[in-house]
Each structure stands twice: as structure tokens, then as C-alpha cells.
Amino acid sequence: MSKKLLVIAEIRDGEFRNVSFEAVAAAKEIDSDGEIVGVVCGDSVADKANELFKYGADRVIAVEHANLSQYTPEGYAQALQAVIEKEDPDAILAGHTSIGRDITPKLASRLKSGLVSDATAIENAGSEVIFTRPIYSGKAFEKVVVKDGLIFATIRPNNIPALEKDDSRSGDAESLEVEIKDLQTIITDVVKNTTSGVDLSEASVIVAGGRGMKGKENFSILDELAEVLGAAVGASRGACDAEYCDYAMQIGQTGKVVTPDLYIAVGLSGAIQHVAGMSNSKVIVAINKDPEAEIFQIADYGIVGDLFDVVPKLTEEFKKVLV
Amino acid sequence: MNIYVIMKRTFDTEEKIQIDSGEIVEDGAEFIINPYDEYAIEEAIQLRDEHGGEVTLVSVGDEEAEKQIRTGLAMGADKAVLIEDEDVENGDQFSTEAILAAYFKDQEADIILGGNIAVDGGSGQVGPRLAENLGINHVTSIVNIEIEDGKAKIERDVEGDQEFIEISLPLLVTAQQGLNEPRYPSLPGIMKAKKKPLETLDLDDLDLDEDEVEGKTNTVERYLPPEKEAGKILEGEIDDQVNELVSLLKNEAKVI
């Protein structure tokens, strides 16, 4: 019997997050014949929500309410619980994003269900669905099955490819009226810091600096390289501890775990803490003046040299090739 | 204030992971307080010092966790509870939620602090699950908190952006890096910690059956990622290396 699969999709700054499309693809992996129902919450999202059809959703539900203009756990829980009660899905998937990480455990508790967080692969083995997820920040992996009942998981960005956009698919989002009330979380202000607009966890290219950057001001050469590549800028713990940059930029076992297509490690030694957070990147480039640096052990390509010489030249060369 | 911290003993982040017959090898490994839980403990102590009250550490685990709990007491927490979960079959985040909820339903917590994630399992589920189970609000990934007149003013990290929130107690929050700089236990602190109360409970003490807390998920395999082989170190003049690298990324690796 084919399954009904609910995908909690996320619109940020007017655009779907790519991981929402990846979650639709993940739902297809669970049951290629299943009915995929996308759900989008917000104050005015129905028009935008239709884009989800093009990435494989069979139906789309929009829950619109003024109280959903910003994410709050209570607001989203009310909206999503109403959808779950109405649809009674066999599986629920969401992106492992700030919102996904925050709302899914709350819903799982309500539903008294299991939840597999941060899955990087899904395999349908007939009688059961097997999720792969990193443990110890990617130093190891585990395969997890949901014993019975609801299959509920969050999907790590950049791991399960989204389906190709199919412009021939279209539809109209169904509107579900839900009363969203008694919110106790009052958001007084939001300060946007993501300068490049590229989020580390979803970036397909990351440029990261370590202690070898020697100072906060020198990160500007990484910003310039990142801009040419459309990349996000990250840092090692050493660089954050030395106050070259904010902890929000830290990649490693404490900090963010990332899996971009291309990771350019600049002036960082490759301490085990840091490597845990990035070693599963598809292609790793290391630039370091110390030929013995650990980072070269896991790099696909390495340049031994002074980063202050190499990085600006690299930026210029990428400009020529990419423009 | 009644301040509680949920904490977990984890592998030291410096440790390499080894697996034998599908299980993580623990022999000889160093263990620590989960680093995110350390921020929670530090913040709890600061809140107590400002507002009065008591800090209670709560950990679900085996008797080995006593060492890390004593470290938390040495930092300055007042007392601790260790809930032993050896009888739990295939424990997962649901199990830990159920055990903690059974404990907390008889406590009057004003605030519960925990880590944003644990560096071993890394799911970040237990905090929000517990809050929902107890019917209180939660705020994850906090980097600043001030409490006044039963209300908390919180700054949280949302993927690098800052969100400012006001919310009433009781409340559960999870600590993100940057919240504070956890103190090292002082020598007098370590001496005092030996005498601080540490209560050990098991499922029976919480009127829980093993069946009620059995995990909803099952780990069927654990493995190490394939070892990455060292790649190509480029040679020649820097200008040539840069040209070669860009060409390799474009034509061989095909990532740009």
C-alpha cells in the first residue's frame, strides 16, 4: 500500500530553502509511489507554496496566519498538529535547519513517536526504512530504523539531491484555516548577520580560515574569495577562540558540521575537532605553509604556501574562469 | 529559583572513534561533560548567584557518569541526581524524554537548562521533547539570557542571525556556544563537591516500567566513514599551482 508522506517545507526571505526540495526527494526514497503532501506555514505563503509541485509534491497545504509570520515553537506546533491530524501521514520529513531542529522534537513528543534527526541517506529495504546519520559529528555513522508507527525524520542539507525542477507540474495549494493563538514566545527583534547571504549549513562551497589568518581584519581576503565563488565563510575553533570571528562561523565538533561540494581550508592545521565537522565534504582543498599540517592528510588538493600570497591569486584566477 | 541542568557524559571531543562489532569502543577513552552542557551548568550557576536558589544537575546514564556529575558539582552546582537507565532496551531520545519527564513532574522547576546538542548522538531532541512533555515553553540555541520578574529576555542564535525573545518562566532553554565561558573547578570546589548530595534513582523509583521507556527507533549498524586518502600536493611556482588548482576543480573534480 502506498504511503502518505508529509514534508514540512520552509520559506525564508521569500524563497524556499533548498533542503525543503531535498526533503521531497527524501520522501520519494521512502515510497516512490507515495503521495507527497507539502506543508508551508507563514503569513502569506500560498502563491509561493505552489513551487513545491515542480519539485515533486503531489499536494501542497498552506497554513496562513498573521501569527505565523515569524517562527515560534507554539505557533508552528499548532499549525502542524492541525495538518497532521487532518492528513494522518505515514511519514513526516523536514529539513534539519534551525526551525526543523526546534519543531520536530516538540511534535515527536506530542505524537509519542521516534524521530531520526539529521539523516544523510535513506534506503527503503522493503519492510523497513533505513536512515543513515552521522554520530560524533561525522567521526562515525549509524543506521537507524523506526520500529513501527510514524516514520519521522529531519534531513541534513546538501546530502540527498533534490529532484530536477519540472515546470510541467503545477497545482494550487490548499488552504487550511487554523487558529493560532496564545503565543508566549515574543520575538522583539531579529538581527541579520549572514553577510554573504549564504548559510554555512546549506552552502555548496565553503571557504574557512584558521589561526593562520593571524587577525580578524585578514578575513577580508576570504570574504573576497567567497564572493567570487558564491561561498559561505567559516572558521576553525582556533580562529574563533582567538576572536578573529564570531562563534556562529565555527565549524567542527563544537560548532557546525558541514558537507559542501567544495571546502577550501585556509591556514588551518586540521585538528581532529575541526576535521570532524568538515571531513565529509566532497572535495577538500588545503592551503597551508606547513607541509606537515594534518589537513593535507584529508585534502584532495593541497597548496603549500603563504596564504596571503595564494588566496588573492586564487580569487583572481577564479574570477577569470567563472565570469 | 529552582534551577535544573540536564547533562550528559560524552566522549572527549579529542578522541578518535573506534568500532568493534557494531559498538563504539569505550575502553581507554577519555570522557567529559558534554561541552554544550558545560555552558548550561555555568549559566545555571550564574543565574543562581544573581537570583538565589539552587542548581540541581540531572543526568540519565550509568554509574560511570558520577565522575562528570562531580565535576559539575565542583564547578558550583548544589546537588545532583543520576537516573540509571541500564534496564532500558534500545534507549533513544524518546526513552530519555520519558525518564526525565517522570522525574521532573514531581519537581517545581523555574528553569531547566541543557546543551543545544550532545556531541555524541548529536540529535538535539531531548530538550524540546522534555519541555513539550512537561507542558512548558522552550527556547533552543541561546547565547544570552537575563531573568527579571519571572520573565526571561533571551538572545538566540538562528543560523548566524540573532533573535531576541521575551518569554515567561517556567522555561527550558538549550545552550549554544558563546553563551558564556565555563569555569574550571577550583581545588576547594573539588573538595566540597565530594560531600554534595548525589541521589541515584532507577526506573522503579520513578514508577516507570521498562516497556514504557523502550526506544521507538533502533540502531542497526554503526560504522566509520571510509578513510580519506591524502590527495595531490601541487608543485611549482605559486602562480602555476593556482592555475592548476582552478583547472583541477573545474575539469577533474567538477565542483565549480
mmCIF file of all heavy atoms in Angstrom, chain A residues 158-207:
data_model
loop_
_atom_site.group_PDB
_atom_site.id
_atom_site.type_symbol
_atom_site.label_atom_id
_atom_site.label_comp_id
_atom_site.label_asym_id
_atom_site.label_seq_id
_atom_site.Cartn_x
_atom_site.Cartn_y
_atom_site.Cartn_z
ATOM 1 N N ASN A 158 22.138 19.319 1.693
ATOM 2 C CA ASN A 158 23.259 19.010 0.787
ATOM 3 C C ASN A 158 23.603 17.542 0.668
ATOM 4 O O ASN A 158 24.696 17.225 0.208
ATOM 5 C CB ASN A 158 24.547 19.705 1.249
ATOM 6 C CG ASN A 158 24.721 21.030 0.589
ATOM 7 O OD1 ASN A 158 24.121 21.263 -0.458
ATOM 8 N ND2 ASN A 158 25.499 21.899 1.170
ATOM 9 N N ASN A 159 22.763 16.642 1.101
ATOM 10 C CA ASN A 159 23.129 15.236 1.030
ATOM 11 C C ASN A 159 22.240 14.398 0.120
ATOM 12 O O ASN A 159 22.722 13.520 -0.574
ATOM 13 C CB ASN A 159 23.170 14.622 2.433
ATOM 14 C CG ASN A 159 24.437 15.002 3.162
ATOM 15 O OD1 ASN A 159 25.442 14.309 3.070
ATOM 16 N ND2 ASN A 159 24.424 16.148 3.840
ATOM 17 N N ILE A 160 20.945 14.658 0.144
ATOM 18 C CA ILE A 160 20.025 13.925 -0.725
ATOM 19 C C ILE A 160 19.621 14.892 -1.847
ATOM 20 O O ILE A 160 18.984 15.906 -1.578
ATOM 21 C CB ILE A 160 18.797 13.441 0.067
ATOM 22 C CG1 ILE A 160 19.261 12.470 1.157
ATOM 23 C CG2 ILE A 160 17.769 12.786 -0.858
ATOM 24 C CD1 ILE A 160 18.245 12.199 2.233
ATOM 25 N N PRO A 161 20.034 14.626 -3.083
ATOM 26 C CA PRO A 161 19.786 15.616 -4.144
ATOM 27 C C PRO A 161 18.297 15.840 -4.382
ATOM 28 O O PRO A 161 17.513 14.888 -4.377
ATOM 29 C CB PRO A 161 20.431 14.989 -5.386
ATOM 30 C CG PRO A 161 21.264 13.864 -4.895
ATOM 31 C CD PRO A 161 20.730 13.438 -3.577
ATOM 32 N N ALA A 162 17.915 17.093 -4.568
ATOM 33 C CA ALA A 162 16.525 17.418 -4.911
ATOM 34 C C ALA A 162 16.212 16.860 -6.292
ATOM 35 O O ALA A 162 17.114 16.626 -7.105
ATOM 36 C CB ALA A 162 16.334 18.931 -4.896
ATOM 37 N N LEU A 163 14.923 16.622 -6.556
ATOM 38 C CA LEU A 163 14.525 16.186 -7.893
ATOM 39 C C LEU A 163 14.681 17.368 -8.844
ATOM 40 O O LEU A 163 14.603 18.525 -8.427
ATOM 41 C CB LEU A 163 13.065 15.732 -7.885
ATOM 42 C CG LEU A 163 12.716 14.633 -6.877
ATOM 43 C CD1 LEU A 163 11.228 14.330 -6.925
ATOM 44 C CD2 LEU A 163 13.522 13.374 -7.154
ATOM 45 N N GLU A 164 14.905 17.053 -10.096
ATOM 46 C CA GLU A 164 15.025 18.127 -11.069
ATOM 47 C C GLU A 164 13.708 18.890 -11.153
ATOM 48 O O GLU A 164 12.619 18.290 -11.139
ATOM 49 C CB GLU A 164 15.373 17.550 -12.434
ATOM 50 C CG GLU A 164 15.991 18.580 -13.316
ATOM 51 C CD GLU A 164 17.131 17.978 -14.141
ATOM 52 O OE1 GLU A 164 17.838 17.086 -13.652
ATOM 53 O OE2 GLU A 164 17.278 18.430 -15.255
ATOM 54 N N LYS A 165 13.795 20.200 -11.258
ATOM 55 C CA LYS A 165 12.592 21.023 -11.344
ATOM 56 C C LYS A 165 11.818 20.664 -12.614
ATOM 57 O O LYS A 165 12.398 20.611 -13.706
ATOM 58 C CB LYS A 165 12.995 22.500 -11.362
ATOM 59 C CG LYS A 165 11.827 23.449 -11.285
ATOM 60 C CD LYS A 165 12.312 24.887 -11.229
ATOM 61 C CE LYS A 165 11.143 25.826 -11.100
ATOM 62 N NZ LYS A 165 11.549 27.225 -11.119
ATOM 63 N N ASP A 166 10.546 20.394 -12.465
ATOM 64 C CA ASP A 166 9.719 20.000 -13.608
ATOM 65 C C ASP A 166 8.627 21.050 -13.788
ATOM 66 O O ASP A 166 7.625 21.069 -13.064
ATOM 67 C CB ASP A 166 9.114 18.609 -13.314
ATOM 68 C CG ASP A 166 8.249 18.114 -14.463
ATOM 69 O OD1 ASP A 166 8.004 18.895 -15.415
ATOM 70 O OD2 ASP A 166 7.827 16.948 -14.406
ATOM 71 N N ASP A 167 8.848 21.935 -14.782
ATOM 72 C CA ASP A 167 7.921 23.056 -14.964
ATOM 73 C C ASP A 167 6.554 22.614 -15.464
ATOM 74 O O ASP A 167 5.602 23.401 -15.445
ATOM 75 C CB ASP A 167 8.537 24.100 -15.906
ATOM 76 C CG ASP A 167 9.541 24.977 -15.174
ATOM 77 O OD1 ASP A 167 9.207 25.426 -14.052
ATOM 78 O OD2 ASP A 167 10.652 25.182 -15.684
ATOM 79 N N SER A 168 6.470 21.372 -15.948
ATOM 80 C CA SER A 168 5.165 20.909 -16.428
ATOM 81 C C SER A 168 4.241 20.570 -15.258
ATOM 82 O O SER A 168 3.033 20.437 -15.428
ATOM 83 C CB SER A 168 5.343 19.679 -17.324
ATOM 84 O OG SER A 168 5.738 18.569 -16.538
ATOM 85 N N ARG A 169 4.818 20.405 -14.085
ATOM 86 C CA ARG A 169 3.979 20.103 -12.917
ATOM 87 C C ARG A 169 3.472 21.406 -12.299
ATOM 88 O O ARG A 169 4.216 22.363 -12.162
ATOM 89 C CB ARG A 169 4.775 19.331 -11.863
ATOM 90 C CG ARG A 169 5.140 17.918 -12.275
ATOM 91 C CD ARG A 169 6.024 17.293 -11.208
ATOM 92 N NE ARG A 169 5.357 17.255 -9.913
ATOM 93 C CZ ARG A 169 4.659 16.213 -9.463
ATOM 94 N NH1 ARG A 169 4.554 15.134 -10.182
ATOM 95 N NH2 ARG A 169 4.062 16.264 -8.287
ATOM 96 N N SER A 170 2.223 21.429 -11.935
ATOM 97 C CA SER A 170 1.709 22.620 -11.261
ATOM 98 C C SER A 170 0.511 22.228 -10.406
ATOM 99 O O SER A 170 0.065 21.085 -10.430
ATOM 100 C CB SER A 170 1.305 23.685 -12.283
ATOM 101 O OG SER A 170 0.209 23.205 -13.033
ATOM 102 N N GLY A 171 0.004 23.172 -9.683
ATOM 103 C CA GLY A 171 -1.141 22.887 -8.841
ATOM 104 C C GLY A 171 -1.464 24.106 -8.002
ATOM 105 O O GLY A 171 -0.779 25.130 -8.083
ATOM 106 N N ASP A 172 -2.512 23.995 -7.241
ATOM 107 C CA ASP A 172 -2.881 25.085 -6.339
ATOM 108 C C ASP A 172 -2.818 24.584 -4.913
ATOM 109 O O ASP A 172 -3.381 23.540 -4.589
ATOM 110 C CB ASP A 172 -4.310 25.556 -6.638
ATOM 111 C CG ASP A 172 -4.319 26.519 -7.810
ATOM 112 O OD1 ASP A 172 -3.442 27.410 -7.833
ATOM 113 O OD2 ASP A 172 -5.168 26.352 -8.698
ATOM 114 N N ALA A 173 -2.128 25.350 -4.102
ATOM 115 C CA ALA A 173 -2.028 24.969 -2.696
ATOM 116 C C ALA A 173 -3.409 25.010 -2.048
ATOM 117 O O ALA A 173 -4.202 25.917 -2.307
ATOM 118 C CB ALA A 173 -1.065 25.909 -1.977
ATOM 119 N N GLU A 174 -3.689 23.998 -1.228
ATOM 120 C CA GLU A 174 -4.930 24.003 -0.455
ATOM 121 C C GLU A 174 -4.694 24.846 0.785
ATOM 122 O O GLU A 174 -3.642 24.759 1.400
ATOM 123 C CB GLU A 174 -5.285 22.577 -0.005
ATOM 124 C CG GLU A 174 -5.372 21.587 -1.138
ATOM 125 C CD GLU A 174 -5.160 20.147 -0.650
ATOM 126 O OE1 GLU A 174 -5.597 19.825 0.472
ATOM 127 O OE2 GLU A 174 -4.552 19.365 -1.390
ATOM 128 N N SER A 175 -5.681 25.625 1.132
ATOM 129 C CA SER A 175 -5.515 26.449 2.314
ATOM 130 C C SER A 175 -6.171 25.765 3.506
ATOM 131 O O SER A 175 -7.280 25.248 3.399
ATOM 132 C CB SER A 175 -6.169 27.808 2.037
ATOM 133 O OG SER A 175 -6.152 28.554 3.204
ATOM 134 N N LEU A 176 -5.453 25.696 4.617
ATOM 135 C CA LEU A 176 -6.049 25.129 5.828
ATOM 136 C C LEU A 176 -6.115 26.230 6.888
ATOM 137 O O LEU A 176 -5.099 26.838 7.227
ATOM 138 C CB LEU A 176 -5.219 23.948 6.344
ATOM 139 C CG LEU A 176 -5.784 23.232 7.574
ATOM 140 C CD1 LEU A 176 -7.052 22.468 7.233
ATOM 141 C CD2 LEU A 176 -4.755 22.285 8.181
ATOM 142 N N GLU A 177 -7.340 26.469 7.348
ATOM 143 C CA GLU A 177 -7.515 27.510 8.370
ATOM 144 C C GLU A 177 -7.241 26.911 9.740
ATOM 145 O O GLU A 177 -7.860 25.925 10.133
ATOM 146 C CB GLU A 177 -8.964 28.024 8.344
ATOM 147 C CG GLU A 177 -9.350 28.655 7.033
ATOM 148 C CD GLU A 177 -9.553 30.154 7.174
ATOM 149 O OE1 GLU A 177 -9.699 30.622 8.315
ATOM 150 O OE2 GLU A 177 -9.557 30.838 6.134
ATOM 151 N N VAL A 178 -6.302 27.491 10.441
ATOM 152 C CA VAL A 178 -6.017 27.035 11.801
ATOM 153 C C VAL A 178 -5.946 28.268 12.688
ATOM 154 O O VAL A 178 -5.348 29.276 12.307
ATOM 155 C CB VAL A 178 -4.663 26.283 11.879
ATOM 156 C CG1 VAL A 178 -4.441 25.722 13.275
ATOM 157 C CG2 VAL A 178 -4.591 25.168 10.849
ATOM 158 N N GLU A 179 -6.574 28.177 13.834
ATOM 159 C CA GLU A 179 -6.465 29.296 14.767
ATOM 160 C C GLU A 179 -5.139 29.196 15.509
ATOM 161 O O GLU A 179 -4.863 28.178 16.161
ATOM 162 C CB GLU A 179 -7.640 29.266 15.755
ATOM 163 C CG GLU A 179 -7.809 30.591 16.437
ATOM 164 C CD GLU A 179 -8.938 30.566 17.475
ATOM 165 O OE1 GLU A 179 -9.671 29.567 17.538
ATOM 166 O OE2 GLU A 179 -9.037 31.538 18.220
ATOM 167 N N ILE A 180 -4.316 30.207 15.345
ATOM 168 C CA ILE A 180 -3.004 30.209 16.005
ATOM 169 C C ILE A 180 -3.083 31.227 17.138
ATOM 170 O O ILE A 180 -3.160 32.431 16.896
ATOM 171 C CB ILE A 180 -1.882 30.611 15.020
ATOM 172 C CG1 ILE A 180 -1.955 29.790 13.734
ATOM 173 C CG2 ILE A 180 -0.511 30.516 15.666
ATOM 174 C CD1 ILE A 180 -1.625 28.332 13.876
ATOM 175 N N LYS A 181 -3.082 30.735 18.363
ATOM 176 C CA LYS A 181 -3.367 31.662 19.472
ATOM 177 C C LYS A 181 -2.464 31.408 20.684
ATOM 178 O O LYS A 181 -1.742 30.423 20.723
ATOM 179 C CB LYS A 181 -4.841 31.526 19.876
ATOM 180 C CG LYS A 181 -5.179 30.107 20.254
ATOM 181 C CD LYS A 181 -6.645 29.929 20.600
ATOM 182 C CE LYS A 181 -6.840 28.496 21.079
ATOM 183 N NZ LYS A 181 -8.197 28.143 21.350
ATOM 184 N N ASP A 182 -2.582 32.290 21.633
ATOM 185 C CA ASP A 182 -1.872 32.173 22.911
ATOM 186 C C ASP A 182 -0.364 31.992 22.764
ATOM 187 O O ASP A 182 0.237 31.175 23.443
ATOM 188 C CB ASP A 182 -2.427 30.984 23.742
ATOM 189 C CG ASP A 182 -3.900 31.118 24.023
ATOM 190 O OD1 ASP A 182 -4.362 32.271 24.114
ATOM 191 O OD2 ASP A 182 -4.591 30.088 24.137
ATOM 192 N N LEU A 183 0.233 32.717 21.830
ATOM 193 C CA LEU A 183 1.686 32.600 21.681
ATOM 194 C C LEU A 183 2.371 33.262 22.873
ATOM 195 O O LEU A 183 2.031 34.373 23.265
ATOM 196 C CB LEU A 183 2.148 33.270 20.379
ATOM 197 C CG LEU A 183 1.580 32.679 19.101
ATOM 198 C CD1 LEU A 183 2.297 33.262 17.894
ATOM 199 C CD2 LEU A 183 1.671 31.157 19.080
ATOM 200 N N GLN A 184 3.315 32.536 23.444
ATOM 201 C CA GLN A 184 4.017 33.088 24.603
ATOM 202 C C GLN A 184 5.432 33.530 24.279
ATOM 203 O O GLN A 184 6.078 34.220 25.054
ATOM 204 C CB GLN A 184 4.017 32.048 25.720
ATOM 205 C CG GLN A 184 2.614 31.889 26.295
ATOM 206 C CD GLN A 184 2.496 30.621 27.101
ATOM 207 O OE1 GLN A 184 3.348 30.329 27.926
ATOM 208 N NE2 GLN A 184 1.442 29.867 26.854
ATOM 209 N N THR A 185 5.926 33.070 23.144
ATOM 210 C CA THR A 185 7.251 33.490 22.713
ATOM 211 C C THR A 185 7.101 34.811 21.960
ATOM 212 O O THR A 185 6.461 34.860 20.919
ATOM 213 C CB THR A 185 7.863 32.435 21.765
ATOM 214 O OG1 THR A 185 7.857 31.169 22.409
ATOM 215 C CG2 THR A 185 9.280 32.812 21.372
ATOM 216 N N ILE A 186 7.629 35.868 22.538
ATOM 217 C CA ILE A 186 7.518 37.176 21.876
ATOM 218 C C ILE A 186 8.871 37.523 21.272
ATOM 219 O O ILE A 186 9.872 37.667 21.994
ATOM 220 C CB ILE A 186 7.078 38.262 22.881
ATOM 221 C CG1 ILE A 186 5.716 37.875 23.457
ATOM 222 C CG2 ILE A 186 7.026 39.631 22.217
ATOM 223 C CD1 ILE A 186 5.412 38.569 24.768
ATOM 224 N N ILE A 187 8.902 37.629 19.941
ATOM 225 C CA ILE A 187 10.157 37.975 19.275
ATOM 226 C C ILE A 187 10.225 39.491 19.173
ATOM 227 O O ILE A 187 9.394 40.121 18.527
ATOM 228 C CB ILE A 187 10.244 37.319 17.888
ATOM 229 C CG1 ILE A 187 10.200 35.792 18.049
ATOM 230 C CG2 ILE A 187 11.522 37.752 17.163
ATOM 231 C CD1 ILE A 187 10.045 35.026 16.776
ATOM 232 N N THR A 188 11.196 40.063 19.873
ATOM 233 C CA THR A 188 11.264 41.526 19.924
ATOM 234 C C THR A 188 12.140 42.101 18.823
ATOM 235 O O THR A 188 11.972 43.243 18.428
ATOM 236 C CB THR A 188 11.778 41.996 21.302
ATOM 237 O OG1 THR A 188 13.004 41.310 21.588
ATOM 238 C CG2 THR A 188 10.780 41.691 22.400
ATOM 239 N N ASP A 189 13.108 41.308 18.341
ATOM 240 C CA ASP A 189 13.991 41.832 17.303
ATOM 241 C C ASP A 189 14.743 40.678 16.640
ATOM 242 O O ASP A 189 14.961 39.626 17.253
ATOM 243 C CB ASP A 189 15.011 42.804 17.931
ATOM 244 C CG ASP A 189 15.672 43.693 16.893
ATOM 245 O OD1 ASP A 189 15.190 43.723 15.737
ATOM 246 O OD2 ASP A 189 16.668 44.351 17.223
ATOM 247 N N VAL A 190 15.097 40.889 15.387
ATOM 248 C CA VAL A 190 15.954 39.932 14.690
ATOM 249 C C VAL A 190 17.058 40.731 14.008
ATOM 250 O O VAL A 190 16.792 41.702 13.316
ATOM 251 C CB VAL A 190 15.175 39.122 13.627
ATOM 252 C CG1 VAL A 190 16.113 38.168 12.888
ATOM 253 C CG2 VAL A 190 14.033 38.340 14.269
ATOM 254 N N VAL A 191 18.303 40.325 14.254
ATOM 255 C CA VAL A 191 19.430 41.000 13.609
ATOM 256 C C VAL A 191 20.073 40.016 12.643
ATOM 257 O O VAL A 191 20.524 38.939 13.033
ATOM 258 C CB VAL A 191 20.466 41.472 14.654
ATOM 259 C CG1 VAL A 191 21.665 42.128 13.959
ATOM 260 C CG2 VAL A 191 19.822 42.429 15.644
ATOM 261 N N LYS A 192 20.072 40.385 11.375
ATOM 262 C CA LYS A 192 20.639 39.502 10.338
ATOM 263 C C LYS A 192 22.140 39.716 10.260
ATOM 264 O O LYS A 192 22.605 40.830 10.090
ATOM 265 C CB LYS A 192 20.015 39.822 8.975
ATOM 266 C CG LYS A 192 18.513 39.633 8.937
ATOM 267 C CD LYS A 192 18.160 38.365 8.194
ATOM 268 C CE LYS A 192 16.661 38.108 8.275
ATOM 269 N NZ LYS A 192 16.325 36.730 8.018
ATOM 270 N N ASN A 193 22.897 38.648 10.393
ATOM 271 C CA ASN A 193 24.356 38.751 10.341
ATOM 272 C C ASN A 193 24.966 38.045 9.145
ATOM 273 O O ASN A 193 26.138 38.207 8.864
ATOM 274 C CB ASN A 193 24.969 38.136 11.599
ATOM 275 C CG ASN A 193 24.637 38.954 12.818
ATOM 276 O OD1 ASN A 193 24.548 40.173 12.749
ATOM 277 N ND2 ASN A 193 24.420 38.299 13.930
ATOM 278 N N THR A 194 24.166 37.212 8.507
ATOM 279 C CA THR A 194 24.722 36.434 7.408
ATOM 280 C C THR A 194 25.023 37.380 6.251
ATOM 281 O O THR A 194 24.181 37.641 5.408
ATOM 282 C CB THR A 194 23.741 35.333 6.998
ATOM 283 O OG1 THR A 194 22.417 35.814 7.230
ATOM 284 C CG2 THR A 194 23.933 34.089 7.808
ATOM 285 N N THR A 195 26.260 37.876 6.262
ATOM 286 C CA THR A 195 26.650 38.944 5.345
ATOM 287 C C THR A 195 26.513 38.535 3.881
ATOM 288 O O THR A 195 25.897 39.219 3.083
ATOM 289 C CB THR A 195 28.103 39.371 5.605
ATOM 290 O OG1 THR A 195 28.872 38.191 5.828
ATOM 291 C CG2 THR A 195 28.201 40.274 6.807
ATOM 292 N N SER A 196 27.079 37.382 3.558
ATOM 293 C CA SER A 196 27.076 36.969 2.162
ATOM 294 C C SER A 196 25.698 36.465 1.741
ATOM 295 O O SER A 196 25.428 36.314 0.566
ATOM 296 C CB SER A 196 28.097 35.858 1.945
ATOM 297 O OG SER A 196 27.768 34.739 2.736
ATOM 298 N N GLY A 197 24.837 36.218 2.719
ATOM 299 C CA GLY A 197 23.532 35.672 2.390
ATOM 300 C C GLY A 197 23.589 34.171 2.148
ATOM 301 O O GLY A 197 22.590 33.539 1.880
ATOM 302 N N VAL A 198 24.787 33.576 2.232
ATOM 303 C CA VAL A 198 24.902 32.133 2.060
ATOM 304 C C VAL A 198 25.074 31.496 3.435
ATOM 305 O O VAL A 198 25.991 31.830 4.171
ATOM 306 C CB VAL A 198 26.100 31.761 1.154
ATOM 307 C CG1 VAL A 198 26.113 30.265 0.882
ATOM 308 C CG2 VAL A 198 26.033 32.540 -0.144
ATOM 309 N N ASP A 199 24.150 30.596 3.765
ATOM 310 C CA ASP A 199 24.177 29.965 5.064
ATOM 311 C C ASP A 199 25.181 28.806 5.068
ATOM 312 O O ASP A 199 25.237 28.029 4.127
ATOM 313 C CB ASP A 199 22.771 29.454 5.375
ATOM 314 C CG ASP A 199 22.703 28.823 6.735
ATOM 315 O OD1 ASP A 199 22.858 29.550 7.712
ATOM 316 O OD2 ASP A 199 22.532 27.597 6.806
ATOM 317 N N LEU A 200 25.966 28.730 6.154
ATOM 318 C CA LEU A 200 27.010 27.699 6.220
ATOM 319 C C LEU A 200 26.470 26.288 6.013
ATOM 320 O O LEU A 200 27.038 25.508 5.272
ATOM 321 C CB LEU A 200 27.694 27.762 7.587
ATOM 322 C CG LEU A 200 28.972 28.578 7.727
ATOM 323 C CD1 LEU A 200 29.495 28.443 9.149
ATOM 324 C CD2 LEU A 200 30.038 28.110 6.750
ATOM 325 N N SER A 201 25.350 25.965 6.694
ATOM 326 C CA SER A 201 24.883 24.584 6.658
ATOM 327 C C SER A 201 24.369 24.185 5.277
ATOM 328 O O SER A 201 24.359 23.029 4.926
ATOM 329 C CB SER A 201 23.809 24.354 7.713
ATOM 330 O OG SER A 201 22.703 25.171 7.435
ATOM 331 N N GLU A 202 23.962 25.152 4.479
ATOM 332 C CA GLU A 202 23.421 24.830 3.162
ATOM 333 C C GLU A 202 24.365 25.187 2.020
ATOM 334 O O GLU A 202 24.061 24.911 0.862
ATOM 335 C CB GLU A 202 22.094 25.570 2.950
ATOM 336 C CG GLU A 202 20.916 24.866 3.582
ATOM 337 C CD GLU A 202 19.596 25.439 3.110
ATOM 338 O OE1 GLU A 202 19.261 26.562 3.521
ATOM 339 O OE2 GLU A 202 18.917 24.779 2.332
ATOM 340 N N ALA A 203 25.498 25.802 2.335
ATOM 341 C CA ALA A 203 26.389 26.286 1.276
ATOM 342 C C ALA A 203 26.985 25.129 0.484
ATOM 343 O O ALA A 203 27.362 24.108 1.058
ATOM 344 C CB ALA A 203 27.504 27.118 1.900
ATOM 345 N N SER A 204 27.085 25.280 -0.819
ATOM 346 C CA SER A 204 27.724 24.222 -1.603
ATOM 347 C C SER A 204 29.228 24.466 -1.702
ATOM 348 O O SER A 204 29.972 23.571 -2.048
ATOM 349 C CB SER A 204 27.089 24.100 -2.987
ATOM 350 O OG SER A 204 27.159 25.326 -3.649
ATOM 351 N N VAL A 205 29.654 25.677 -1.405
ATOM 352 C CA VAL A 205 31.095 25.966 -1.330
ATOM 353 C C VAL A 205 31.365 26.722 -0.025
ATOM 354 O O VAL A 205 30.627 27.644 0.328
ATOM 355 C CB VAL A 205 31.573 26.821 -2.528
ATOM 356 C CG1 VAL A 205 33.084 27.060 -2.438
ATOM 357 C CG2 VAL A 205 31.222 26.167 -3.858
ATOM 358 N N ILE A 206 32.399 26.294 0.693
ATOM 359 C CA ILE A 206 32.776 26.979 1.940
ATOM 360 C C ILE A 206 34.260 27.302 1.910
ATOM 361 O O ILE A 206 35.079 26.476 1.510
ATOM 362 C CB ILE A 206 32.440 26.104 3.179
ATOM 363 C CG1 ILE A 206 30.921 25.992 3.357
ATOM 364 C CG2 ILE A 206 33.093 26.663 4.449
ATOM 365 C CD1 ILE A 206 30.491 25.044 4.453
ATOM 366 N N VAL A 207 34.578 28.526 2.314
ATOM 367 C CA VAL A 207 35.963 28.944 2.492
ATOM 368 C C VAL A 207 36.151 29.133 3.993
ATOM 369 O O VAL A 207 35.410 29.890 4.615
ATOM 370 C CB VAL A 207 36.231 30.281 1.762
ATOM 371 C CG1 VAL A 207 37.666 30.712 1.969
ATOM 372 C CG2 VAL A 207 35.911 30.159 0.270
#
